[in-house]
Amino acid sequence: MTLRELINSVDSEQYSDNPLYQKLREKKPEYGSSRHIQLRLIDGNVAVTNAHVGSLGDILTYPIDIEPDLNMSKVQLLDAILHELSSNGFSESEESDFWSDFDNLQKAKIIR
């Protein structure tokens, strides 16, 4: 399952007040790559990797690999990925700059 498929498989009303979810839902998937979003348990915490590599449209196309011992519902998976992608600790202007740059393919190749 890709991130796009996961987003489309959950109840969108549950995320109606989540701007990141709304942005991802509206974003058109792009080419993607051979990268995978990975979720695994490290020291009792869920670790999400490869969620920041590529443009936002690329990330939507990445398959999600889940460690076999990690027993999570689709909502819990999406919550963990959204939390990883979220801008906790940023001001509104920093968040806006981040998302503007995130969709800039030229900068995405340089930064990531």
Side-chain angles (χ1 to χ4, degrees), residues 31-79:
Y31 295 105
S33 73
S34 61
R35 290 189 171 85
H36 291 232
I37 296 173
Q38 298 177 337
L39 284 91
R40 49 193 153 153
L41 201 57
I42 298 177
D43 296 330
N45 297 312
V46 176
V48 180
T49 57
N50 289 336
H52 297 287
V53 182
S55 72
L56 207 50
D58 288 341
I59 292 169
L60 283 171
T61 66
Y62 293 172
I64 301 170
D65 295 337
I66 305 162
E67 186 176 72
D69 296 337
L70 196 58
N71 214 2
M72 299 175 74
S73 69
K74 287 183 178 183
V75 170
Q76 290 170 317
L77 291 172
L78 183 57
D79 286 346

Side-chain angles (χ1 to χ4, degrees), residues 3 20 24 37 51-52 56 59 80-88 98-99 102:
L3 178 55
L20 176 56
L24 288 168
I37 296 173
H52 297 287
L56 207 50
I59 292 169
I81 293 169
L82 290 176
H83 179 72
E84 181 64 29
L85 286 171
S86 71
S87 58
N88 291 332
F98 173 80
W99 286 116
F102 211 83

